[in-house]
Amino acid sequence: MNSSIEKILFSEDEIREKVKQIGKKISEDYKDKDLVLVGILKGSVVFLSDLMRTIDINCKIAFLTAKSYGNSTMSSGKVELEDTLKTSLGEEITGKDIILVEDILDTAATLYAVREKIKELNPASIKICAFIERNIKRNVDLTPDYKCFDIQDGFIVGYGLDYAQNYRNLPYVGILKREIYTKIN
Ligand code: IMP
Ligand code: MG
């Protein structure tokens, strides 16, 4: 185990099993649809690349960039989206059945902002697939349609999730030792 990790929360085997279940469900639900998985960079890349290989119907992928954390472990509440979204993604989204794929749904500020922007591109439908949902009370009305795991507290990393851009490559999800982020912040 990586020395910055206090405890493994979800192992590689557990993750593989859950992702497979979600992929199967999506394959059934979108059988006659025009599915596009839209990954929110960078955190969703590991999840999305595993998830798409468990989906056995036709699907496309697209990506967009959204940032809210910077180098902190607290959500800033402000969400930055690329302003080229319309020109870069318009054709890939209009009239299609979109699933937004996110690493973790926390305050949901990021996905709320992304969903509003995506709506402007007139997709046929939009749903949300989060690898992890943090169970907190939210100010925005948004819950995932598909998810693999729930957590409560603790800052987690691995399987795409980062702290200051590190630890995304860990194949499991673990709780980051507190001393790692109190040292820098
Ligand atoms: P939200 O907008 O508050 O829902 O924040 C979502 C984003 O915050 C995610 O896409 C992650 O990039 C980041 N995030 C939230 N909680 C964690 C965590 O425990 N570890 C790493 N990143 C997190
Ligand atoms: Mg992040």
Side-chain angles (χ1 to χ4, degrees):
M1 188 171 76
N2 185 293
S3 61
S4 305
I5 300 299
E6 187 178 299
K7 184 180 148 205
I8 293 181
L9 274 188
F10 310 122
S11 70
E12 281 188 77
D13 286 350
E14 281 175 281
I15 293 172
R16 193 176 312 111
E17 198 41 49
K18 284 279 183 183
V19 171
K20 210 163 85 185
Q21 288 169 15
I22 298 296
K24 187 164 180 274
K25 180 93 180 42
I26 290 176
S27 306
E28 289 162 6
D29 294 352
Y30 285 80
K31 224 174 3 221
D32 306 310
K33 308 263 180 172
D34 207 350
L35 175 61
V36 185
L37 302 175
V38 177
I40 319 297
L41 291 172
K42 302 170 191 164
S44 71
V45 286
V46 181
F47 176 42
L48 190 143
S49 67
D50 280 349
L51 178 68
M52 67 186 286
R53 284 176 286 175
T54 67
I55 292 177
D56 63 5
I57 55 165
N58 256 347
C59 79
K60 301 189 182 75
I61 59 166
F63 293 94
L64 60 86
T65 304
K67 275 194 283 210
S68 75
Y69 265 51
N71 283 354
S72 148
T73 57
M74 292 289 292
S75 186
S76 69
K78 276 182 269 149
V79 180
E80 292 169 42
L81 290 175
E82 56 193 325
D83 32 282
T84 54
L85 212 59
K86 200 164 188 164
T87 43
S88 63
L89 279 184
E91 235 173 81
E92 293 178 83
I93 284 180
T94 306
K96 306 289 198 318
D97 295 289
I98 305 302
I99 299 183
L100 296 174
V101 181
E102 172 74 306
D103 52 0
I104 177 168
L105 195 72
D106 188 8
T107 65
T110 309
L111 267 186
Y112 190 85
V114 169
R115 192 174 62 178
E116 291 309 297
K117 279 277 170 207
I118 295 287
K119 275 184 194 164
E120 291 172 18
L121 304 174
N122 296 316
S125 64
I126 315 181
K127 289 208 169 171
I128 306 280
C129 176
F131 175 56
I132 295 174
E133 176 174 25
R134 193 188 290 280
N135 297 129
I136 53 166
K137 216 174 151 2
R138 302 207 174 88
N139 297 328
V140 298
D141 180 20
L142 193 150
T143 47
D145 300 285
Y146 305 96
K147 72 174 159 186
C148 293
F149 299 103
D150 295 272
I151 61 160
Q152 304 283 342
D153 321 304
F155 193 79
I156 56 171
V157 292
Y159 200 71
L161 290 139
D162 73 304
Y163 170 62
Q165 301 303 328
N166 290 314
Y167 311 108
R168 293 194 198 273
N169 57 318
L170 300 180
Y172 49 82
V173 171
I175 297 186
L176 189 64
K177 283 183 182 164
R178 191 165 270 277
E179 70 219 45
I180 303 291
Y181 50 92
T182 44
K183 200 163 59 186
I184 305 172
N185 285 346

